Amino acid sequence: PEYTSYNTIDFLSAKTGLIAGGSYPPRHDFAAPNWIDPAHAQRRREWPTLSIVLETRDRGATWTPTTAPLLGRVTQLRLARDGWGLSLFNFEYAFEWPSEVYAIDLTTGKSTESFRAKDRLVTDVALFPGKHAFLGAIEPPGRDPQLPIPGKVKMLESTDLKQWHEMEVDYRAVATRVILAPVDAKHIWAATNTGMILHLVP
């Protein structure tokens, strides 16, 4: 229990919802932060950990757990009322991509890769019916996306969860994390951990 946490929750309807997290035991190969020895950090490869999903179909009265050994941590989960979801995985150690986004067909339970890029660290997702989605991301300033150095804020949009195009973003926006606050697909705000609030201009 001391190594297990639940990181995100969302509901598809008043009755159906998901909670995602995992069990992340400590690693003893190197205890110092990545920024102290970036070269050593690049040799610390990502290991599989136990991911956990809890599902309810009765307004939270009961929850059914599912576990699987997966790479990375589920840090965000968003569900749309037409039966689709997006799950965001972030990677703490050296890996080919800093983050991955998967599309979930909630009717079949099948997950497929939706987005990943070596130079984009996705920190939040927003999803609307019709497979209309947005990603809040940063462009890491170096090889290690975990370094505490702000990078340029990037916003991406898709209408099929497969093809993504980058939106124009104020050049002054830099951060290590972007958090999205959507009302609908035409009214989205983004907050950065460096103190800037961005607003989508249709």
PDB file of all heavy atoms in Angstrom, residues 7 21-24 27 45-52 68-76 88-95 97-100 102 146:
ATOM      1  N   ASN A   7      -3.944   8.263  -9.469  1.00  0.00           N
ATOM      2  CA  ASN A   7      -3.519   9.544 -10.006  1.00  0.00           C
ATOM      3  C   ASN A   7      -4.605  10.319 -10.737  1.00  0.00           C
ATOM      4  O   ASN A   7      -4.489  11.535 -10.900  1.00  0.00           O
ATOM      5  CB  ASN A   7      -2.345   9.332 -10.977  1.00  0.00           C
ATOM      6  CG  ASN A   7      -1.227   8.521 -10.356  1.00  0.00           C
ATOM      7  OD1 ASN A   7      -0.931   8.655  -9.182  1.00  0.00           O
ATOM      8  ND2 ASN A   7      -0.605   7.654 -11.156  1.00  0.00           N
ATOM      9  N   GLY A  21      -4.221   4.372 -11.639  1.00  0.00           N
ATOM     10  CA  GLY A  21      -3.016   4.626 -10.849  1.00  0.00           C
ATOM     11  C   GLY A  21      -2.073   3.459 -10.994  1.00  0.00           C
ATOM     12  O   GLY A  21      -2.039   2.785 -12.028  1.00  0.00           O
ATOM     13  N   GLY A  22      -1.310   3.197  -9.933  1.00  0.00           N
ATOM     14  CA  GLY A  22      -0.378   2.085 -10.016  1.00  0.00           C
ATOM     15  C   GLY A  22       0.431   1.924  -8.754  1.00  0.00           C
ATOM     16  O   GLY A  22       0.309   2.700  -7.800  1.00  0.00           O
ATOM     17  N   SER A  23       1.264   0.900  -8.752  1.00  0.00           N
ATOM     18  CA  SER A  23       2.176   0.634  -7.651  1.00  0.00           C
ATOM     19  C   SER A  23       3.587   0.920  -8.129  1.00  0.00           C
ATOM     20  O   SER A  23       4.044   0.333  -9.125  1.00  0.00           O
ATOM     21  CB  SER A  23       2.054  -0.830  -7.203  1.00  0.00           C
ATOM     22  OG  SER A  23       2.930  -1.093  -6.136  1.00  0.00           O
ATOM     23  N   TYR A  24       4.277   1.838  -7.449  1.00  0.00           N
ATOM     24  CA  TYR A  24       5.580   2.320  -7.895  1.00  0.00           C
ATOM     25  C   TYR A  24       6.607   2.156  -6.776  1.00  0.00           C
ATOM     26  O   TYR A  24       6.884   3.097  -6.029  1.00  0.00           O
ATOM     27  CB  TYR A  24       5.490   3.783  -8.321  1.00  0.00           C
ATOM     28  CG  TYR A  24       4.324   4.067  -9.233  1.00  0.00           C
ATOM     29  CD1 TYR A  24       3.224   4.800  -8.781  1.00  0.00           C
ATOM     30  CD2 TYR A  24       4.293   3.593 -10.546  1.00  0.00           C
ATOM     31  CE1 TYR A  24       2.141   5.057  -9.607  1.00  0.00           C
ATOM     32  CE2 TYR A  24       3.209   3.843 -11.382  1.00  0.00           C
ATOM     33  CZ  TYR A  24       2.146   4.574 -10.905  1.00  0.00           C
ATOM     34  OH  TYR A  24       1.077   4.823 -11.718  1.00  0.00           O
ATOM     35  N   ARG A  27      13.254   2.701  -6.532  1.00  0.00           N
ATOM     36  CA  ARG A  27      14.407   2.097  -7.198  1.00  0.00           C
ATOM     37  C   ARG A  27      15.674   2.476  -6.446  1.00  0.00           C
ATOM     38  O   ARG A  27      15.804   3.599  -5.974  1.00  0.00           O
ATOM     39  CB  ARG A  27      14.469   2.555  -8.652  1.00  0.00           C
ATOM     40  CG  ARG A  27      13.348   2.009  -9.494  1.00  0.00           C
ATOM     41  CD  ARG A  27      13.344   2.548 -10.906  1.00  0.00           C
ATOM     42  NE  ARG A  27      14.581   2.310 -11.600  1.00  0.00           N
ATOM     43  CZ  ARG A  27      14.728   2.427 -12.926  1.00  0.00           C
ATOM     44  NH1 ARG A  27      13.683   2.777 -13.675  1.00  0.00           N
ATOM     45  NH2 ARG A  27      15.883   2.210 -13.493  1.00  0.00           N
ATOM     46  N   ARG A  45      17.049   3.027 -17.315  1.00  0.00           N
ATOM     47  CA  ARG A  45      15.953   2.738 -18.221  1.00  0.00           C
ATOM     48  C   ARG A  45      14.630   2.589 -17.458  1.00  0.00           C
ATOM     49  O   ARG A  45      14.598   2.211 -16.285  1.00  0.00           O
ATOM     50  CB  ARG A  45      16.229   1.448 -19.003  1.00  0.00           C
ATOM     51  CG  ARG A  45      17.514   1.492 -19.818  1.00  0.00           C
ATOM     52  CD  ARG A  45      17.483   2.579 -20.869  1.00  0.00           C
ATOM     53  NE  ARG A  45      16.415   2.360 -21.832  1.00  0.00           N
ATOM     54  CZ  ARG A  45      16.089   3.229 -22.785  1.00  0.00           C
ATOM     55  NH1 ARG A  45      16.711   4.388 -22.885  1.00  0.00           N
ATOM     56  NH2 ARG A  45      15.114   2.955 -23.634  1.00  0.00           N
ATOM     57  N   GLU A  46      13.546   2.887 -18.151  1.00  0.00           N
ATOM     58  CA  GLU A  46      12.208   2.717 -17.583  1.00  0.00           C
ATOM     59  C   GLU A  46      11.934   1.236 -17.370  1.00  0.00           C
ATOM     60  O   GLU A  46      12.223   0.404 -18.239  1.00  0.00           O
ATOM     61  CB  GLU A  46      11.170   3.314 -18.531  1.00  0.00           C
ATOM     62  CG  GLU A  46       9.791   3.428 -17.954  1.00  0.00           C
ATOM     63  CD  GLU A  46       9.652   4.601 -16.992  1.00  0.00           C
ATOM     64  OE1 GLU A  46      10.349   5.615 -17.152  1.00  0.00           O
ATOM     65  OE2 GLU A  46       8.827   4.478 -16.070  1.00  0.00           O
ATOM     66  N   TRP A  47      11.392   0.896 -16.193  1.00  0.00           N
ATOM     67  CA  TRP A  47      11.016  -0.481 -15.871  1.00  0.00           C
ATOM     68  C   TRP A  47       9.499  -0.598 -15.819  1.00  0.00           C
ATOM     69  O   TRP A  47       8.799   0.364 -15.493  1.00  0.00           O
ATOM     70  CB  TRP A  47      11.573  -0.880 -14.504  1.00  0.00           C
ATOM     71  CG  TRP A  47      13.051  -0.980 -14.420  1.00  0.00           C
ATOM     72  CD1 TRP A  47      13.937  -0.956 -15.456  1.00  0.00           C
ATOM     73  CD2 TRP A  47      13.823  -1.108 -13.224  1.00  0.00           C
ATOM     74  NE1 TRP A  47      15.208  -1.060 -14.992  1.00  0.00           N
ATOM     75  CE2 TRP A  47      15.187  -1.155 -13.624  1.00  0.00           C
ATOM     76  CE3 TRP A  47      13.514  -1.193 -11.872  1.00  0.00           C
ATOM     77  CZ2 TRP A  47      16.216  -1.289 -12.712  1.00  0.00           C
ATOM     78  CZ3 TRP A  47      14.543  -1.327 -10.957  1.00  0.00           C
ATOM     79  CH2 TRP A  47      15.881  -1.376 -11.368  1.00  0.00           C
ATOM     80  N   PRO A  48       8.966  -1.798 -16.122  1.00  0.00           N
ATOM     81  CA  PRO A  48       7.517  -1.984 -15.964  1.00  0.00           C
ATOM     82  C   PRO A  48       7.109  -1.871 -14.493  1.00  0.00           C
ATOM     83  O   PRO A  48       7.841  -2.307 -13.599  1.00  0.00           O
ATOM     84  CB  PRO A  48       7.281  -3.400 -16.496  1.00  0.00           C
ATOM     85  CG  PRO A  48       8.471  -3.707 -17.346  1.00  0.00           C
ATOM     86  CD  PRO A  48       9.621  -2.977 -16.719  1.00  0.00           C
ATOM     87  N   THR A  49       5.976  -1.274 -14.256  1.00  0.00           N
ATOM     88  CA  THR A  49       5.376  -1.227 -12.928  1.00  0.00           C
ATOM     89  C   THR A  49       3.932  -1.702 -13.044  1.00  0.00           C
ATOM     90  O   THR A  49       3.402  -1.857 -14.148  1.00  0.00           O
ATOM     91  CB  THR A  49       5.414   0.193 -12.333  1.00  0.00           C
ATOM     92  OG1 THR A  49       4.784   1.106 -13.255  1.00  0.00           O
ATOM     93  CG2 THR A  49       6.844   0.649 -12.093  1.00  0.00           C
ATOM     94  N   LEU A  50       3.300  -1.912 -11.912  1.00  0.00           N
ATOM     95  CA  LEU A  50       1.942  -2.452 -11.914  1.00  0.00           C
ATOM     96  C   LEU A  50       0.932  -1.314 -12.046  1.00  0.00           C
ATOM     97  O   LEU A  50       0.769  -0.516 -11.121  1.00  0.00           O
ATOM     98  CB  LEU A  50       1.680  -3.240 -10.634  1.00  0.00           C
ATOM     99  CG  LEU A  50       0.357  -3.998 -10.589  1.00  0.00           C
ATOM    100  CD1 LEU A  50       0.362  -5.129 -11.610  1.00  0.00           C
ATOM    101  CD2 LEU A  50       0.101  -4.543  -9.189  1.00  0.00           C
ATOM    102  N   SER A  51       0.274  -1.222 -13.195  1.00  0.00           N
ATOM    103  CA  SER A  51      -0.785  -0.236 -13.389  1.00  0.00           C
ATOM    104  C   SER A  51      -2.112  -0.811 -12.895  1.00  0.00           C
ATOM    105  O   SER A  51      -2.368  -2.013 -13.025  1.00  0.00           O
ATOM    106  CB  SER A  51      -0.908   0.150 -14.864  1.00  0.00           C
ATOM    107  OG  SER A  51       0.240   0.851 -15.288  1.00  0.00           O
ATOM    108  N   ILE A  52      -2.938   0.061 -12.324  1.00  0.00           N
ATOM    109  CA  ILE A  52      -4.207  -0.363 -11.723  1.00  0.00           C
ATOM    110  C   ILE A  52      -5.339   0.505 -12.264  1.00  0.00           C
ATOM    111  O   ILE A  52      -5.211   1.723 -12.305  1.00  0.00           O
ATOM    112  CB  ILE A  52      -4.165  -0.234 -10.188  1.00  0.00           C
ATOM    113  CG1 ILE A  52      -2.986  -1.014  -9.611  1.00  0.00           C
ATOM    114  CG2 ILE A  52      -5.473  -0.705  -9.565  1.00  0.00           C
ATOM    115  CD1 ILE A  52      -2.747  -0.753  -8.144  1.00  0.00           C
ATOM    116  N   ALA A  68      -2.185  -4.605 -14.619  1.00  0.00           N
ATOM    117  CA  ALA A  68      -1.338  -5.045 -15.725  1.00  0.00           C
ATOM    118  C   ALA A  68       0.049  -4.423 -15.558  1.00  0.00           C
ATOM    119  O   ALA A  68       0.159  -3.266 -15.135  1.00  0.00           O
ATOM    120  CB  ALA A  68      -1.937  -4.630 -17.070  1.00  0.00           C
ATOM    121  N   PRO A  69       1.120  -5.168 -15.875  1.00  0.00           N
ATOM    122  CA  PRO A  69       2.460  -4.582 -15.833  1.00  0.00           C
ATOM    123  C   PRO A  69       2.694  -3.726 -17.085  1.00  0.00           C
ATOM    124  O   PRO A  69       2.664  -4.230 -18.210  1.00  0.00           O
ATOM    125  CB  PRO A  69       3.380  -5.813 -15.815  1.00  0.00           C
ATOM    126  CG  PRO A  69       2.584  -6.891 -16.480  1.00  0.00           C
ATOM    127  CD  PRO A  69       1.140  -6.606 -16.195  1.00  0.00           C
ATOM    128  N   LEU A  70       2.895  -2.433 -16.887  1.00  0.00           N
ATOM    129  CA  LEU A  70       3.061  -1.509 -18.007  1.00  0.00           C
ATOM    130  C   LEU A  70       4.226  -0.569 -17.739  1.00  0.00           C
ATOM    131  O   LEU A  70       4.597  -0.332 -16.589  1.00  0.00           O
ATOM    132  CB  LEU A  70       1.781  -0.684 -18.222  1.00  0.00           C
ATOM    133  CG  LEU A  70       0.513  -1.455 -18.577  1.00  0.00           C
ATOM    134  CD1 LEU A  70      -0.678  -0.502 -18.601  1.00  0.00           C
ATOM    135  CD2 LEU A  70       0.652  -2.164 -19.912  1.00  0.00           C
ATOM    136  N   LEU A  71       4.771  -0.021 -18.803  1.00  0.00           N
ATOM    137  CA  LEU A  71       5.808   0.992 -18.683  1.00  0.00           C
ATOM    138  C   LEU A  71       5.168   2.352 -18.454  1.00  0.00           C
ATOM    139  O   LEU A  71       4.161   2.690 -19.081  1.00  0.00           O
ATOM    140  CB  LEU A  71       6.665   1.031 -19.952  1.00  0.00           C
ATOM    141  CG  LEU A  71       7.566  -0.187 -20.199  1.00  0.00           C
ATOM    142  CD1 LEU A  71       8.126  -0.135 -21.607  1.00  0.00           C
ATOM    143  CD2 LEU A  71       8.686  -0.245 -19.183  1.00  0.00           C
ATOM    144  N   GLY A  72       5.747   3.145 -17.562  1.00  0.00           N
ATOM    145  CA  GLY A  72       5.257   4.492 -17.323  1.00  0.00           C
ATOM    146  C   GLY A  72       4.140   4.556 -16.309  1.00  0.00           C
ATOM    147  O   GLY A  72       3.648   3.525 -15.817  1.00  0.00           O
ATOM    148  N   ARG A  73       3.745   5.790 -16.000  1.00  0.00           N
ATOM    149  CA  ARG A  73       2.669   6.031 -15.044  1.00  0.00           C
ATOM    150  C   ARG A  73       1.469   6.645 -15.756  1.00  0.00           C
ATOM    151  O   ARG A  73       1.620   7.556 -16.571  1.00  0.00           O
ATOM    152  CB  ARG A  73       3.124   7.007 -13.956  1.00  0.00           C
ATOM    153  CG  ARG A  73       4.254   6.500 -13.101  1.00  0.00           C
ATOM    154  CD  ARG A  73       4.497   7.430 -11.950  1.00  0.00           C
ATOM    155  NE  ARG A  73       5.626   6.991 -11.118  1.00  0.00           N
ATOM    156  CZ  ARG A  73       5.777   7.284  -9.848  1.00  0.00           C
ATOM    157  NH1 ARG A  73       4.884   8.034  -9.239  1.00  0.00           N
ATOM    158  NH2 ARG A  73       6.831   6.862  -9.174  1.00  0.00           N
ATOM    159  N   VAL A  74       0.283   6.151 -15.439  1.00  0.00           N
ATOM    160  CA  VAL A  74      -0.932   6.799 -15.933  1.00  0.00           C
ATOM    161  C   VAL A  74      -1.127   8.077 -15.118  1.00  0.00           C
ATOM    162  O   VAL A  74      -1.366   8.031 -13.912  1.00  0.00           O
ATOM    163  CB  VAL A  74      -2.164   5.889 -15.771  1.00  0.00           C
ATOM    164  CG1 VAL A  74      -3.399   6.586 -16.346  1.00  0.00           C
ATOM    165  CG2 VAL A  74      -1.947   4.555 -16.439  1.00  0.00           C
ATOM    166  N   THR A  75      -0.999   9.215 -15.777  1.00  0.00           N
ATOM    167  CA  THR A  75      -1.102  10.491 -15.065  1.00  0.00           C
ATOM    168  C   THR A  75      -2.382  11.247 -15.370  1.00  0.00           C
ATOM    169  O   THR A  75      -2.737  12.171 -14.657  1.00  0.00           O
ATOM    170  CB  THR A  75       0.092  11.397 -15.395  1.00  0.00           C
ATOM    171  OG1 THR A  75       0.158  11.600 -16.818  1.00  0.00           O
ATOM    172  CG2 THR A  75       1.395  10.772 -14.924  1.00  0.00           C
ATOM    173  N   GLN A  76      -3.087  10.850 -16.448  1.00  0.00           N
ATOM    174  CA  GLN A  76      -4.334  11.537 -16.772  1.00  0.00           C
ATOM    175  C   GLN A  76      -5.249  10.593 -17.533  1.00  0.00           C
ATOM    176  O   GLN A  76      -4.794   9.745 -18.315  1.00  0.00           O
ATOM    177  CB  GLN A  76      -4.061  12.793 -17.603  1.00  0.00           C
ATOM    178  CG  GLN A  76      -5.255  13.725 -17.738  1.00  0.00           C
ATOM    179  CD  GLN A  76      -5.784  14.196 -16.392  1.00  0.00           C
ATOM    180  OE1 GLN A  76      -6.653  13.549 -15.816  1.00  0.00           O
ATOM    181  NE2 GLN A  76      -5.272  15.297 -15.883  1.00  0.00           N
ATOM    182  N   LEU A  88      -3.120   9.100 -20.538  1.00  0.00           N
ATOM    183  CA  LEU A  88      -1.791   9.692 -20.710  1.00  0.00           C
ATOM    184  C   LEU A  88      -0.801   8.960 -19.815  1.00  0.00           C
ATOM    185  O   LEU A  88      -1.017   8.838 -18.609  1.00  0.00           O
ATOM    186  CB  LEU A  88      -1.838  11.181 -20.354  1.00  0.00           C
ATOM    187  CG  LEU A  88      -0.494  11.900 -20.224  1.00  0.00           C
ATOM    188  CD1 LEU A  88       0.271  11.886 -21.539  1.00  0.00           C
ATOM    189  CD2 LEU A  88      -0.713  13.338 -19.735  1.00  0.00           C
ATOM    190  N   PHE A  89       0.285   8.499 -20.413  1.00  0.00           N
ATOM    191  CA  PHE A  89       1.378   7.882 -19.683  1.00  0.00           C
ATOM    192  C   PHE A  89       2.591   8.807 -19.733  1.00  0.00           C
ATOM    193  O   PHE A  89       2.963   9.292 -20.807  1.00  0.00           O
ATOM    194  CB  PHE A  89       1.764   6.532 -20.301  1.00  0.00           C
ATOM    195  CG  PHE A  89       0.818   5.410 -19.991  1.00  0.00           C
ATOM    196  CD1 PHE A  89      -0.392   5.298 -20.667  1.00  0.00           C
ATOM    197  CD2 PHE A  89       1.132   4.460 -19.037  1.00  0.00           C
ATOM    198  CE1 PHE A  89      -1.263   4.257 -20.393  1.00  0.00           C
ATOM    199  CE2 PHE A  89       0.257   3.413 -18.751  1.00  0.00           C
ATOM    200  CZ  PHE A  89      -0.933   3.314 -19.427  1.00  0.00           C
ATOM    201  N   ASN A  90       3.199   9.043 -18.585  1.00  0.00           N
ATOM    202  CA  ASN A  90       4.460   9.780 -18.512  1.00  0.00           C
ATOM    203  C   ASN A  90       5.550   8.845 -18.020  1.00  0.00           C
ATOM    204  O   ASN A  90       5.289   7.912 -17.264  1.00  0.00           O
ATOM    205  CB  ASN A  90       4.349  10.983 -17.588  1.00  0.00           C
ATOM    206  CG  ASN A  90       3.525  12.106 -18.191  1.00  0.00           C
ATOM    207  OD1 ASN A  90       2.592  12.602 -17.566  1.00  0.00           O
ATOM    208  ND2 ASN A  90       3.822  12.511 -19.408  1.00  0.00           N
ATOM    209  N   PHE A  91       6.784   9.126 -18.458  1.00  0.00           N
ATOM    210  CA  PHE A  91       7.910   8.263 -18.136  1.00  0.00           C
ATOM    211  C   PHE A  91       8.919   9.041 -17.297  1.00  0.00           C
ATOM    212  O   PHE A  91       9.347  10.128 -17.676  1.00  0.00           O
ATOM    213  CB  PHE A  91       8.554   7.726 -19.406  1.00  0.00           C
ATOM    214  CG  PHE A  91       7.582   6.966 -20.264  1.00  0.00           C
ATOM    215  CD1 PHE A  91       7.014   7.550 -21.384  1.00  0.00           C
ATOM    216  CD2 PHE A  91       7.196   5.678 -19.919  1.00  0.00           C
ATOM    217  CE1 PHE A  91       6.104   6.860 -22.165  1.00  0.00           C
ATOM    218  CE2 PHE A  91       6.280   4.980 -20.688  1.00  0.00           C
ATOM    219  CZ  PHE A  91       5.731   5.570 -21.817  1.00  0.00           C
ATOM    220  N   GLU A  92       9.277   8.466 -16.154  1.00  0.00           N
ATOM    221  CA  GLU A  92      10.177   9.123 -15.213  1.00  0.00           C
ATOM    222  C   GLU A  92      11.637   8.873 -15.543  1.00  0.00           C
ATOM    223  O   GLU A  92      12.504   9.692 -15.259  1.00  0.00           O
ATOM    224  CB  GLU A  92       9.873   8.626 -13.801  1.00  0.00           C
ATOM    225  CG  GLU A  92      10.681   9.295 -12.718  1.00  0.00           C
ATOM    226  CD  GLU A  92      10.282   8.819 -11.334  1.00  0.00           C
ATOM    227  OE1 GLU A  92       9.291   8.060 -11.229  1.00  0.00           O
ATOM    228  OE2 GLU A  92      10.960   9.194 -10.369  1.00  0.00           O
ATOM    229  N   TYR A  93      11.924   7.726 -16.182  1.00  0.00           N
ATOM    230  CA  TYR A  93      13.290   7.344 -16.479  1.00  0.00           C
ATOM    231  C   TYR A  93      13.513   7.336 -17.992  1.00  0.00           C
ATOM    232  O   TYR A  93      12.614   7.634 -18.765  1.00  0.00           O
ATOM    233  CB  TYR A  93      13.591   5.978 -15.860  1.00  0.00           C
ATOM    234  CG  TYR A  93      13.376   5.959 -14.359  1.00  0.00           C
ATOM    235  CD1 TYR A  93      12.192   5.450 -13.808  1.00  0.00           C
ATOM    236  CD2 TYR A  93      14.332   6.480 -13.501  1.00  0.00           C
ATOM    237  CE1 TYR A  93      11.991   5.446 -12.438  1.00  0.00           C
ATOM    238  CE2 TYR A  93      14.129   6.485 -12.122  1.00  0.00           C
ATOM    239  CZ  TYR A  93      12.962   5.973 -11.608  1.00  0.00           C
ATOM    240  OH  TYR A  93      12.756   5.986 -10.257  1.00  0.00           O
ATOM    241  N   ALA A  94      14.740   6.987 -18.400  1.00  0.00           N
ATOM    242  CA  ALA A  94      15.101   7.055 -19.816  1.00  0.00           C
ATOM    243  C   ALA A  94      14.198   6.135 -20.644  1.00  0.00           C
ATOM    244  O   ALA A  94      14.050   4.947 -20.342  1.00  0.00           O
ATOM    245  CB  ALA A  94      16.568   6.662 -19.983  1.00  0.00           C
ATOM    246  N   PHE A  95      13.617   6.714 -21.674  1.00  0.00           N
ATOM    247  CA  PHE A  95      12.723   5.972 -22.556  1.00  0.00           C
ATOM    248  C   PHE A  95      12.730   6.670 -23.910  1.00  0.00           C
ATOM    249  O   PHE A  95      13.169   7.816 -24.038  1.00  0.00           O
ATOM    250  CB  PHE A  95      11.307   5.930 -21.964  1.00  0.00           C
ATOM    251  CG  PHE A  95      10.428   4.871 -22.577  1.00  0.00           C
ATOM    252  CD1 PHE A  95      10.782   3.538 -22.528  1.00  0.00           C
ATOM    253  CD2 PHE A  95       9.235   5.205 -23.192  1.00  0.00           C
ATOM    254  CE1 PHE A  95       9.978   2.558 -23.071  1.00  0.00           C
ATOM    255  CE2 PHE A  95       8.421   4.235 -23.746  1.00  0.00           C
ATOM    256  CZ  PHE A  95       8.793   2.906 -23.683  1.00  0.00           C
ATOM    257  N   TRP A  97      10.342   7.827 -25.680  1.00  0.00           N
ATOM    258  CA  TRP A  97       9.458   8.984 -25.710  1.00  0.00           C
ATOM    259  C   TRP A  97       9.237   9.475 -24.288  1.00  0.00           C
ATOM    260  O   TRP A  97       9.216   8.682 -23.349  1.00  0.00           O
ATOM    261  CB  TRP A  97       8.100   8.619 -26.333  1.00  0.00           C
ATOM    262  CG  TRP A  97       8.222   8.071 -27.705  1.00  0.00           C
ATOM    263  CD1 TRP A  97       8.347   8.760 -28.868  1.00  0.00           C
ATOM    264  CD2 TRP A  97       8.234   6.686 -28.076  1.00  0.00           C
ATOM    265  NE1 TRP A  97       8.442   7.899 -29.933  1.00  0.00           N
ATOM    266  CE2 TRP A  97       8.383   6.614 -29.480  1.00  0.00           C
ATOM    267  CE3 TRP A  97       8.151   5.488 -27.353  1.00  0.00           C
ATOM    268  CZ2 TRP A  97       8.436   5.414 -30.180  1.00  0.00           C
ATOM    269  CZ3 TRP A  97       8.211   4.287 -28.034  1.00  0.00           C
ATOM    270  CH2 TRP A  97       8.350   4.259 -29.434  1.00  0.00           C
ATOM    271  N   PRO A  98       9.043  10.781 -24.096  1.00  0.00           N
ATOM    272  CA  PRO A  98       8.791  11.280 -22.744  1.00  0.00           C
ATOM    273  C   PRO A  98       7.371  11.007 -22.258  1.00  0.00           C
ATOM    274  O   PRO A  98       7.109  11.028 -21.062  1.00  0.00           O
ATOM    275  CB  PRO A  98       9.058  12.780 -22.865  1.00  0.00           C
ATOM    276  CG  PRO A  98       8.792  13.095 -24.307  1.00  0.00           C
ATOM    277  CD  PRO A  98       9.214  11.870 -25.071  1.00  0.00           C
ATOM    278  N   SER A  99       6.446  10.761 -23.203  1.00  0.00           N
ATOM    279  CA  SER A  99       5.052  10.493 -22.844  1.00  0.00           C
ATOM    280  C   SER A  99       4.372   9.782 -24.012  1.00  0.00           C
ATOM    281  O   SER A  99       4.846   9.831 -25.148  1.00  0.00           O
ATOM    282  CB  SER A  99       4.306  11.797 -22.514  1.00  0.00           C
ATOM    283  OG  SER A  99       4.319  12.667 -23.639  1.00  0.00           O
ATOM    284  N   GLU A 100       3.255   9.128 -23.709  1.00  0.00           N
ATOM    285  CA  GLU A 100       2.440   8.480 -24.733  1.00  0.00           C
ATOM    286  C   GLU A 100       0.974   8.688 -24.390  1.00  0.00           C
ATOM    287  O   GLU A 100       0.600   8.672 -23.215  1.00  0.00           O
ATOM    288  CB  GLU A 100       2.723   6.982 -24.819  1.00  0.00           C
ATOM    289  CG  GLU A 100       4.065   6.626 -25.408  1.00  0.00           C
ATOM    290  CD  GLU A 100       4.258   5.117 -25.533  1.00  0.00           C
ATOM    291  OE1 GLU A 100       4.270   4.442 -24.484  1.00  0.00           O
ATOM    292  OE2 GLU A 100       4.382   4.627 -26.656  1.00  0.00           O
ATOM    293  N   TYR A 102      -2.886   7.159 -25.300  1.00  0.00           N
ATOM    294  CA  TYR A 102      -3.611   6.041 -25.893  1.00  0.00           C
ATOM    295  C   TYR A 102      -5.093   6.370 -25.978  1.00  0.00           C
ATOM    296  O   TYR A 102      -5.659   6.976 -25.063  1.00  0.00           O
ATOM    297  CB  TYR A 102      -3.419   4.768 -25.062  1.00  0.00           C
ATOM    298  CG  TYR A 102      -2.052   4.153 -25.218  1.00  0.00           C
ATOM    299  CD1 TYR A 102      -0.994   4.558 -24.408  1.00  0.00           C
ATOM    300  CD2 TYR A 102      -1.815   3.188 -26.190  1.00  0.00           C
ATOM    301  CE1 TYR A 102       0.268   4.013 -24.559  1.00  0.00           C
ATOM    302  CE2 TYR A 102      -0.559   2.634 -26.348  1.00  0.00           C
ATOM    303  CZ  TYR A 102       0.480   3.049 -25.534  1.00  0.00           C
ATOM    304  OH  TYR A 102       1.729   2.504 -25.693  1.00  0.00           O
ATOM    305  N   GLN A 146      12.718  15.300 -17.729  1.00  0.00           N
ATOM    306  CA  GLN A 146      12.448  15.476 -16.306  1.00  0.00           C
ATOM    307  C   GLN A 146      13.276  16.591 -15.676  1.00  0.00           C
ATOM    308  O   GLN A 146      13.088  16.898 -14.499  1.00  0.00           O
ATOM    309  CB  GLN A 146      12.725  14.159 -15.566  1.00  0.00           C
ATOM    310  CG  GLN A 146      11.890  12.987 -16.049  1.00  0.00           C
ATOM    311  CD  GLN A 146      10.398  13.228 -15.904  1.00  0.00           C
ATOM    312  OE1 GLN A 146       9.958  13.895 -14.981  1.00  0.00           O
ATOM    313  NE2 GLN A 146       9.610  12.687 -16.815  1.00  0.00           N
TER     314      GLN A 146
END
